[in-house]
Amino acid sequence: MADINSNAKNGASGGGETASGAPPTGDGSAVKDPIWDIIELLFFAYRDFVGDPDEVLSKLAFGRAHHRVVHFVKRNPGMKVADLLDILNITKQSLGRVLKQLVDQGYIVQKEGAQDRRQRLLYVTPKGEALSLQLAQLQTERIKRAFGELGPGAHEAARRFLTAMIDGDNREGVLRQIARADRAQSRS
Amino acid sequence: MADINSNAKNGASGGGETASGAPPTGDGSAVKDPIWDIIELLFFAYRDFVGDPDEVLSKLAFGRAHHRVVHFVKRNPGMKVADLLDILNITKQSLGRVLKQLVDQGYIVQKEGAQDRRQRLLYVTPKGEALSLQLAQLQTERIKRAFGELGPGAHEAARRFLTAMIDGDNREGVLRQIARADRAQSRS
DNA sequence: CTATTTATGTCAGCCATGTTGACATATTTT
DNA sequence: AAAATATGTCAACATGGCTGACATAAATAG
């Protein structure tokens, strides 16, 4: 919500480019002045970041959707299909398409739930884990390079920034998921 | 619940890196240990970030592709079509589809180049500028909220982190584009 | 025990946005 | 005059979202 859109209604009015009829804040910046640099840096940084795995994926005739599935299953072994849908925020039909390929080609297996036999719990196979790690390492190289260029504390600063950028609603769940996955990894 | 089965180790499957056979670094972390937290936080943060404008866009029957075009034309008034293609990294056919709609509906105009009359230089109309600003402000709210939760220096830290995450090749060009656009904005 | 709900899967079709390839037009450069 | 450049367009196809309808098995409620 937060429909703070008073600015956008000047469609017929302001002939020129004088976009800043914004109230001053004392420090010279308007309340609603867009933070252009972060908006654009995020765009370019994320584009490069998600592009790293593309070459490997395309050799397998996979796309980014396959990457996301393998990634989260590797991180959350034994997760329910419904949980994966929640994380990815897509429909079961969309998931089904890529999941079927990953299962057919031996990257992921589904096991009947022990207590609830309707569930098809998801696990990566060794092959799936290897792929997941290979892709994660490509992205990790970029992150490590970045942290290397910045001073110490860069990791912590990045973590805090990114966490603060997540919706308040999701934030707790995301952090819980990461913590749980980290524990699972260390036990494997 | 969720017995978090300890998962398969790395199989003989090819291509991948061996799961945990990484050389030690002395600080306990392996050279190739994936930096899971940043990888996942970037995914969730970026998803929320680009999702902010969706509601506004869908009311206009526009998508994220339209957003990107209006954004960069607003930021770089008078840019050549070829420059926009370079920034977006898409083909002219993909651009053509959304650009045509934006021109037809009065968000963008194209003017013949003065020196080179083959060029169709791109400008936002007042309507286009209003839309661009409205969308940028939605994203800015999120960024400001994040910076408000973090201490002072958060903006600078985020800028440095995101810049370092960009390909070395692109980085200079991106920074130049941002600086040029900032100058153009302040002149308007 | 029967009825309902839940977890998952599947078919069919549509949409947004990316791709390649071929070709057209106007204009500038050689 | 010929070649290169900037842009646009048509056609076909790929990926990965979506909705709606329906199917099955298992758990749960009455």
Side-chain angles (χ1 to χ4, degrees):
Chain A
M1 312 340 186
D3 209 34
I4 305 173
N5 54 9
S6 50
N7 191 320
K9 294 310 188 180
N10 51 8
S13 68
E17 304 258 316
T18 319
S20 304
T25 51
D27 66 344
S29 78
V31 170
K32 313 181 61 110
D33 259 1
I35 301 179
W36 298 111
D37 61 345
I38 301 298
I39 292 175
E40 295 186 354
L41 288 171
L42 209 33
F43 172 75
F44 292 110
Y46 191 77
R47 183 222 299 231
D48 286 348
F49 171 73
V50 295
D52 284 334
D54 281 350
E55 198 181 344
V56 171
L57 289 167
S58 75
K59 279 179 189 153
L60 302 171
F62 286 159
R64 291 174 183 179
H66 302 83
H67 180 190
R68 290 191 286 270
V69 170
V70 170
H71 173 97
F72 284 109
V73 174
K74 184 264 185 291
R75 286 276 287 165
N76 301 277
M79 75 192 308
K80 298 193 304 174
V81 170
D83 292 340
L84 183 53
L85 290 175
D86 277 350
I87 285 181
L88 296 178
N89 229 350
I90 60 176
T91 59
K92 62 179 173 178
Q93 294 92 330
S94 294
L95 173 60
R97 222 164 6 199
V98 296
L99 184 54
K100 186 175 191 316
Q101 297 176 284
L102 289 167
V103 169
D104 287 350
Q105 298 179 42
Y107 291 87
I108 286 181
V109 287
Q110 294 182 273
K111 300 185 190 171
E112 196 171 74
Q115 322 102 307
D116 188 335
R117 289 169 43 228
R118 290 171 304 182
Q119 298 171 346
R120 297 296 138 84
L121 306 183
L122 300 164
Y123 299 88
V124 283
T125 62
K127 189 176 170 188
E129 173 159 40
L131 176 60
S132 163
L133 282 174
Q134 185 186 6
L135 300 177
Q137 278 153 7
L138 289 174
Q139 298 185 310
T140 295
E141 283 174 36
R142 176 181 300 276
I143 297 169
K144 282 215 164 118
R145 178 173 59 71
F147 288 168
E149 293 173 15
L150 309 171
H155 191 152
E156 178 63 18
R159 176 165 36 221
R160 278 163 41 85
F161 166 61
L162 293 173
T163 302
M165 286 288 288
I166 296 174
D167 275 355
D169 303 3
N170 304 346
R171 204 180 296 177
E172 193 190 349
V174 167
L175 293 178
R176 230 184 304 113
Q177 185 265 324
I178 292 177
R180 183 168 10 94
D182 283 345
R183 287 199 307 276
Q185 308 268 276
S186 66
R187 254 204 316 285
S188 69
Chain B
M1 28 151 66
D3 56 344
I4 302 173
N5 227 313
S6 110
N7 206 348
K9 277 299 182 140
N10 165 30
S13 33
E17 315 286 338
T18 50
S20 23
T25 51
D27 66 345
S29 79
V31 170
K32 314 183 63 108
D33 258 0
I35 302 179
W36 298 111
D37 61 345
I38 302 296
I39 291 175
E40 295 185 354
L41 288 171
L42 210 32
F43 171 75
F44 292 110
Y46 192 77
R47 184 223 297 233
D48 286 348
F49 171 73
V50 297
D52 284 334
D54 281 350
E55 197 182 344
V56 171
L57 289 166
S58 75
K59 280 179 190 155
L60 302 171
F62 288 157
R64 291 174 182 178
H66 302 84
H67 180 191
R68 289 192 286 272
V69 170
V70 169
H71 173 97
F72 283 109
V73 173
K74 185 265 184 289
R75 286 277 287 165
N76 301 276
M79 77 191 308
K80 298 194 306 173
V81 170
D83 293 339
L84 183 54
L85 290 175
D86 278 352
I87 285 181
L88 296 178
N89 229 354
I90 59 175
T91 59
K92 61 179 174 177
Q93 295 91 329
S94 293
L95 173 60
R97 215 160 13 197
V98 296
L99 184 54
K100 187 175 190 314
Q101 299 175 284
L102 289 167
V103 169
D104 287 350
Q105 298 180 44
Y107 291 87
I108 285 182
V109 288
Q110 294 182 276
K111 299 185 189 172
E112 196 170 72
Q115 322 101 310
D116 188 336
R117 290 170 42 227
R118 291 171 302 183
Q119 298 172 346
R120 297 295 136 85
L121 306 184
L122 300 164
Y123 298 87
V124 283
T125 63
K127 189 176 170 189
E129 172 159 40
L131 176 59
S132 163
L133 282 175
Q134 184 186 9
L135 301 177
Q137 278 154 7
L138 289 175
Q139 297 185 310
T140 295
E141 283 174 38
R142 176 180 300 274
I143 298 170
K144 282 213 165 118
R145 178 174 58 73
F147 288 168
E149 293 173 16
L150 310 170
H155 191 153
E156 177 63 18
R159 178 164 35 222
R160 279 163 41 85
F161 166 62
L162 293 173
T163 302
M165 287 287 288
I166 296 174
D167 275 356
D169 303 2
N170 304 347
R171 205 180 296 177
E172 193 190 347
V174 167
L175 293 178
R176 230 183 304 112
Q177 185 265 323
I178 292 177
R180 183 166 10 94
D182 283 346
R183 288 198 307 276
Q185 309 268 279
S186 66
R187 254 204 315 287
S188 66

